[in-house]
Short mmCIF file of all heavy atoms in Angstrom, two decimals:
data_model
loop_
_atom_site.label_atom_id
_atom_site.label_comp_id
_atom_site.label_asym_id
_atom_site.label_seq_id
_atom_site.Cartn_x
_atom_site.Cartn_y
_atom_site.Cartn_z
N GLU A 13 11.79 -21.00 2.24
CA GLU A 13 10.85 -21.26 1.15
C GLU A 13 9.53 -20.57 1.40
O GLU A 13 9.08 -20.47 2.54
CB GLU A 13 10.57 -22.76 1.01
CG GLU A 13 11.65 -23.56 0.36
CD GLU A 13 11.18 -24.98 0.12
OE1 GLU A 13 10.20 -25.16 -0.62
OE2 GLU A 13 11.80 -25.89 0.68
N MET A 14 8.91 -20.11 0.32
CA MET A 14 7.55 -19.57 0.38
C MET A 14 6.73 -20.38 -0.60
O MET A 14 7.12 -20.56 -1.75
CB MET A 14 7.54 -18.09 -0.02
CG MET A 14 8.24 -17.20 0.98
SD MET A 14 8.20 -15.46 0.50
CE MET A 14 9.45 -15.44 -0.77
N ARG A 15 5.58 -20.89 -0.12
CA ARG A 15 4.76 -21.71 -1.01
C ARG A 15 3.33 -21.79 -0.50
O ARG A 15 3.04 -21.43 0.64
CB ARG A 15 5.36 -23.10 -1.17
CG ARG A 15 5.37 -23.93 0.09
CD ARG A 15 6.15 -25.23 -0.09
NE ARG A 15 6.00 -26.13 1.02
CZ ARG A 15 6.55 -25.99 2.21
NH1 ARG A 15 7.28 -24.95 2.48
NH2 ARG A 15 6.35 -26.88 3.17
N PHE A 16 2.47 -22.28 -1.38
CA PHE A 16 1.10 -22.60 -1.01
C PHE A 16 1.02 -24.12 -0.85
O PHE A 16 1.56 -24.87 -1.67
CB PHE A 16 0.10 -22.17 -2.09
CG PHE A 16 -0.02 -20.67 -2.22
CD1 PHE A 16 0.28 -20.05 -3.41
CD2 PHE A 16 -0.45 -19.90 -1.15
CE1 PHE A 16 0.16 -18.67 -3.55
CE2 PHE A 16 -0.57 -18.52 -1.28
CZ PHE A 16 -0.27 -17.92 -2.48
N VAL A 17 0.35 -24.56 0.20
CA VAL A 17 0.18 -25.98 0.45
C VAL A 17 -1.32 -26.28 0.37
O VAL A 17 -2.13 -25.62 1.03
CB VAL A 17 0.73 -26.38 1.85
CG1 VAL A 17 0.49 -27.86 2.12
CG2 VAL A 17 2.21 -26.04 1.96
N HIS A 18 -1.68 -27.28 -0.46
CA HIS A 18 -3.08 -27.67 -0.65
C HIS A 18 -3.12 -29.05 -1.27
O HIS A 18 -2.10 -29.56 -1.76
CB HIS A 18 -3.83 -26.66 -1.52
CG HIS A 18 -3.11 -26.34 -2.79
ND1 HIS A 18 -3.07 -27.20 -3.86
CD2 HIS A 18 -2.35 -25.27 -3.13
CE1 HIS A 18 -2.34 -26.65 -4.82
NE2 HIS A 18 -1.89 -25.49 -4.40
N GLU A 19 -4.27 -29.65 -1.27
CA GLU A 19 -4.46 -30.93 -1.95
C GLU A 19 -4.28 -30.71 -3.45
O GLU A 19 -4.43 -29.58 -3.94
CB GLU A 19 -5.87 -31.47 -1.67
CG GLU A 19 -6.13 -31.83 -0.22
CD GLU A 19 -5.27 -33.00 0.25
OE1 GLU A 19 -5.08 -33.97 -0.51
OE2 GLU A 19 -4.75 -32.92 1.39
N PRO A 20 -3.97 -31.77 -4.20
CA PRO A 20 -3.89 -31.61 -5.66
C PRO A 20 -5.19 -31.00 -6.22
O PRO A 20 -6.28 -31.36 -5.77
CB PRO A 20 -3.70 -33.05 -6.15
CG PRO A 20 -3.09 -33.77 -4.99
CD PRO A 20 -3.69 -33.13 -3.76
N LEU A 21 -5.02 -30.10 -7.15
CA LEU A 21 -6.17 -29.37 -7.68
C LEU A 21 -6.55 -29.81 -9.08
O LEU A 21 -5.68 -30.05 -9.91
CB LEU A 21 -5.86 -27.86 -7.75
CG LEU A 21 -5.72 -27.12 -6.45
CD1 LEU A 21 -5.33 -25.68 -6.72
CD2 LEU A 21 -7.01 -27.15 -5.68
N THR A 22 -7.84 -29.86 -9.30
CA THR A 22 -8.39 -30.02 -10.64
C THR A 22 -9.49 -28.99 -10.76
O THR A 22 -10.38 -28.93 -9.90
CB THR A 22 -9.02 -31.42 -10.83
OG1 THR A 22 -8.28 -32.38 -10.13
CG2 THR A 22 -9.06 -31.79 -12.28
N ILE A 23 -9.40 -28.16 -11.78
CA ILE A 23 -10.42 -27.13 -12.00
C ILE A 23 -10.87 -27.24 -13.44
O ILE A 23 -10.05 -27.37 -14.35
CB ILE A 23 -9.88 -25.72 -11.71
CG1 ILE A 23 -9.45 -25.61 -10.24
CG2 ILE A 23 -10.92 -24.65 -12.05
CD1 ILE A 23 -8.76 -24.31 -9.87
N LYS A 24 -12.19 -27.21 -13.64
CA LYS A 24 -12.70 -27.24 -15.00
C LYS A 24 -13.54 -25.99 -15.24
O LYS A 24 -14.03 -25.35 -14.30
CB LYS A 24 -13.48 -28.51 -15.28
CG LYS A 24 -14.72 -28.70 -14.44
CD LYS A 24 -15.39 -30.02 -14.79
CE LYS A 24 -16.70 -30.19 -14.10
NZ LYS A 24 -16.73 -30.92 -12.90
N GLN A 25 -13.67 -25.65 -16.53
CA GLN A 25 -14.47 -24.47 -16.87
C GLN A 25 -15.88 -24.68 -16.34
O GLN A 25 -16.47 -25.74 -16.49
CB GLN A 25 -14.49 -24.25 -18.38
CG GLN A 25 -15.12 -22.93 -18.75
CD GLN A 25 -14.97 -22.62 -20.23
OE1 GLN A 25 -14.15 -23.18 -20.93
NE2 GLN A 25 -15.78 -21.69 -20.69
N GLY A 26 -16.39 -23.66 -15.67
CA GLY A 26 -17.71 -23.72 -15.05
C GLY A 26 -17.64 -23.89 -13.54
O GLY A 26 -18.62 -23.60 -12.84
N ASP A 27 -16.51 -24.37 -13.02
CA ASP A 27 -16.37 -24.52 -11.56
C ASP A 27 -16.43 -23.15 -10.88
O ASP A 27 -15.90 -22.17 -11.39
CB ASP A 27 -15.04 -25.17 -11.19
CG ASP A 27 -15.04 -26.69 -11.31
OD1 ASP A 27 -16.13 -27.27 -11.48
OD2 ASP A 27 -13.95 -27.28 -11.23
N VAL A 28 -17.07 -23.12 -9.73
CA VAL A 28 -17.05 -21.95 -8.85
C VAL A 28 -16.35 -22.43 -7.58
O VAL A 28 -16.88 -23.26 -6.84
CB VAL A 28 -18.46 -21.42 -8.54
CG1 VAL A 28 -18.39 -20.21 -7.61
CG2 VAL A 28 -19.20 -21.07 -9.83
N VAL A 29 -15.15 -21.92 -7.37
CA VAL A 29 -14.29 -22.44 -6.31
C VAL A 29 -14.18 -21.43 -5.17
O VAL A 29 -13.91 -20.25 -5.39
CB VAL A 29 -12.87 -22.76 -6.86
CG1 VAL A 29 -11.98 -23.31 -5.75
CG2 VAL A 29 -12.96 -23.73 -8.03
N LYS A 30 -14.38 -21.95 -3.96
CA LYS A 30 -14.14 -21.14 -2.76
C LYS A 30 -12.78 -21.55 -2.22
O LYS A 30 -12.57 -22.70 -1.83
CB LYS A 30 -15.21 -21.36 -1.70
CG LYS A 30 -14.91 -20.61 -0.40
CD LYS A 30 -16.06 -20.57 0.58
CE LYS A 30 -16.40 -21.90 1.14
NZ LYS A 30 -17.38 -21.82 2.24
N PHE A 31 -11.83 -20.62 -2.26
CA PHE A 31 -10.51 -20.84 -1.70
C PHE A 31 -10.53 -20.32 -0.27
O PHE A 31 -10.84 -19.14 -0.05
CB PHE A 31 -9.44 -20.10 -2.51
CG PHE A 31 -9.31 -20.59 -3.93
CD1 PHE A 31 -9.96 -19.93 -4.96
CD2 PHE A 31 -8.53 -21.70 -4.22
CE1 PHE A 31 -9.83 -20.37 -6.27
CE2 PHE A 31 -8.41 -22.14 -5.53
CZ PHE A 31 -9.06 -21.48 -6.56
N VAL A 32 -10.25 -21.17 0.70
CA VAL A 32 -10.15 -20.78 2.10
C VAL A 32 -8.66 -20.78 2.41
O VAL A 32 -8.02 -21.84 2.47
CB VAL A 32 -10.92 -21.74 3.03
CG1 VAL A 32 -10.79 -21.28 4.48
CG2 VAL A 32 -12.38 -21.85 2.61
N VAL A 33 -8.10 -19.58 2.57
CA VAL A 33 -6.65 -19.43 2.66
C VAL A 33 -6.26 -18.99 4.07
O VAL A 33 -6.81 -18.02 4.60
CB VAL A 33 -6.15 -18.39 1.63
CG1 VAL A 33 -4.63 -18.34 1.63
CG2 VAL A 33 -6.68 -18.71 0.24
N THR A 34 -5.30 -19.72 4.65
CA THR A 34 -4.78 -19.38 5.97
C THR A 34 -3.29 -19.07 5.84
O THR A 34 -2.55 -19.86 5.25
CB THR A 34 -4.99 -20.54 6.97
OG1 THR A 34 -6.38 -20.82 7.06
CG2 THR A 34 -4.44 -20.18 8.35
N ASN A 35 -2.88 -17.93 6.37
CA ASN A 35 -1.47 -17.58 6.37
C ASN A 35 -0.83 -18.20 7.61
O ASN A 35 -0.99 -17.70 8.72
CB ASN A 35 -1.28 -16.06 6.37
CG ASN A 35 0.18 -15.66 6.30
OD1 ASN A 35 1.07 -16.49 6.41
ND2 ASN A 35 0.41 -14.38 6.13
N ARG A 36 -0.10 -19.28 7.41
CA ARG A 36 0.59 -19.97 8.51
C ARG A 36 2.04 -19.52 8.61
O ARG A 36 2.82 -20.09 9.37
CB ARG A 36 0.51 -21.48 8.32
CG ARG A 36 -0.93 -21.96 8.28
CD ARG A 36 -1.09 -23.37 8.74
NE ARG A 36 -2.45 -23.84 8.56
CZ ARG A 36 -3.45 -23.63 9.41
NH1 ARG A 36 -3.23 -22.94 10.52
NH2 ARG A 36 -4.65 -24.10 9.17
N GLY A 37 2.39 -18.48 7.85
CA GLY A 37 3.75 -17.98 7.84
C GLY A 37 3.97 -16.89 8.87
O GLY A 37 3.11 -16.60 9.71
N THR A 38 5.15 -16.26 8.76
CA THR A 38 5.54 -15.23 9.70
C THR A 38 5.50 -13.83 9.10
O THR A 38 5.82 -12.86 9.77
CB THR A 38 6.97 -15.49 10.20
OG1 THR A 38 7.86 -15.52 9.07
CG2 THR A 38 7.05 -16.82 10.94
N MET A 39 5.12 -13.75 7.82
CA MET A 39 5.05 -12.45 7.13
C MET A 39 3.75 -12.37 6.36
O MET A 39 3.10 -13.39 6.11
CB MET A 39 6.25 -12.29 6.19
CG MET A 39 6.30 -13.32 5.08
SD MET A 39 7.74 -13.19 3.99
CE MET A 39 9.00 -13.93 5.01
N PRO A 40 3.34 -11.16 5.98
CA PRO A 40 2.11 -11.03 5.18
C PRO A 40 2.27 -11.75 3.84
O PRO A 40 3.36 -11.80 3.26
CB PRO A 40 1.97 -9.53 4.96
CG PRO A 40 2.80 -8.90 6.03
CD PRO A 40 3.92 -9.86 6.30
N HIS A 41 1.16 -12.31 3.37
CA HIS A 41 1.12 -12.95 2.05
C HIS A 41 -0.16 -12.52 1.35
O HIS A 41 -1.10 -12.05 1.97
CB HIS A 41 1.15 -14.48 2.17
CG HIS A 41 2.48 -15.02 2.59
ND1 HIS A 41 3.60 -14.93 1.80
CD2 HIS A 41 2.86 -15.63 3.74
CE1 HIS A 41 4.62 -15.48 2.43
NE2 HIS A 41 4.21 -15.90 3.62
N GLU A 42 -0.13 -12.75 0.05
CA GLU A 42 -1.29 -12.48 -0.78
C GLU A 42 -1.66 -13.77 -1.48
O GLU A 42 -0.80 -14.60 -1.77
CB GLU A 42 -0.93 -11.40 -1.80
CG GLU A 42 -2.04 -11.05 -2.77
CD GLU A 42 -1.59 -10.01 -3.77
OE1 GLU A 42 -1.53 -8.84 -3.40
OE2 GLU A 42 -1.29 -10.40 -4.91
N PHE A 43 -2.94 -13.93 -1.74
CA PHE A 43 -3.41 -15.04 -2.55
C PHE A 43 -4.21 -14.43 -3.68
O PHE A 43 -5.20 -13.74 -3.43
CB PHE A 43 -4.28 -15.99 -1.71
CG PHE A 43 -4.84 -17.14 -2.50
CD1 PHE A 43 -4.09 -18.30 -2.66
CD2 PHE A 43 -6.09 -17.08 -3.08
CE1 PHE A 43 -4.59 -19.37 -3.38
CE2 PHE A 43 -6.60 -18.14 -3.80
CZ PHE A 43 -5.85 -19.29 -3.95
N SER A 44 -3.74 -14.63 -4.90
CA SER A 44 -4.46 -14.09 -6.05
C SER A 44 -4.67 -15.18 -7.08
O SER A 44 -3.85 -16.09 -7.22
CB SER A 44 -3.72 -12.90 -6.67
OG SER A 44 -2.49 -13.30 -7.22
N VAL A 45 -5.78 -15.09 -7.78
CA VAL A 45 -6.11 -16.05 -8.81
C VAL A 45 -6.08 -15.34 -10.16
O VAL A 45 -6.45 -14.17 -10.28
CB VAL A 45 -7.49 -16.70 -8.54
CG1 VAL A 45 -8.60 -15.68 -8.57
CG2 VAL A 45 -7.78 -17.82 -9.51
N GLY A 46 -5.58 -16.05 -11.18
CA GLY A 46 -5.53 -15.49 -12.52
C GLY A 46 -5.04 -16.51 -13.51
O GLY A 46 -4.74 -17.65 -13.15
N ASP A 47 -4.94 -16.10 -14.76
CA ASP A 47 -4.32 -16.97 -15.76
C ASP A 47 -2.85 -16.57 -15.87
O ASP A 47 -2.41 -15.58 -15.28
CB ASP A 47 -5.05 -16.91 -17.09
CG ASP A 47 -5.11 -15.52 -17.70
OD1 ASP A 47 -4.46 -14.58 -17.18
OD2 ASP A 47 -5.80 -15.35 -18.71
N SER A 48 -2.07 -17.36 -16.59
CA SER A 48 -0.63 -17.11 -16.69
C SER A 48 -0.30 -15.69 -17.15
O SER A 48 0.50 -15.01 -16.50
CB SER A 48 0.03 -18.14 -17.61
OG SER A 48 -0.15 -19.43 -17.09
N PRO A 49 -0.92 -15.19 -18.25
CA PRO A 49 -0.57 -13.83 -18.68
C PRO A 49 -0.90 -12.75 -17.64
O PRO A 49 -0.12 -11.83 -17.42
CB PRO A 49 -1.39 -13.63 -19.96
CG PRO A 49 -1.68 -15.00 -20.46
CD PRO A 49 -1.79 -15.85 -19.22
N SER A 50 -2.05 -12.87 -16.98
CA SER A 50 -2.42 -11.83 -16.01
C SER A 50 -1.51 -11.86 -14.79
O SER A 50 -1.16 -10.82 -14.25
CB SER A 50 -3.89 -11.97 -15.59
OG SER A 50 -4.10 -13.13 -14.82
N GLN A 51 -1.09 -13.05 -14.36
CA GLN A 51 -0.21 -13.13 -13.19
C GLN A 51 1.19 -12.60 -13.52
O GLN A 51 1.81 -11.94 -12.70
CB GLN A 51 -0.14 -14.56 -12.65
CG GLN A 51 -1.44 -15.04 -12.02
CD GLN A 51 -1.75 -14.39 -10.68
OE1 GLN A 51 -1.32 -13.29 -10.35
NE2 GLN A 51 -2.53 -15.08 -9.86
#
């Protein structure tokens, strides 16, 4: 399995979020943010 693990998220318009991402896996990963169409 490949997945992101984090606490439940709530984001509202206007939030400025700092994502601190750690790759705990064995291969390179990417973390990208976007809306459904862009992703």
Side-chain angles (χ1 to χ4, degrees):
E13 284 188 61
M14 292 181 283
R15 66 188 189 286
F16 292 119
V17 178
H18 50 75
E19 295 295 320
L21 291 176
T22 324
I23 298 174
K24 62 181 186 265
Q25 189 172 341
D27 279 349
V28 180
V29 181
K30 175 169 67 171
F31 296 96
V32 180
V33 186
T34 301
N35 183 352
R36 301 208 186 276
T38 59
M39 62 182 78
H41 289 293
E42 178 181 283
F43 178 86
S44 65
V45 63
D47 59 8
S48 299
S50 69
Q51 291 288 25

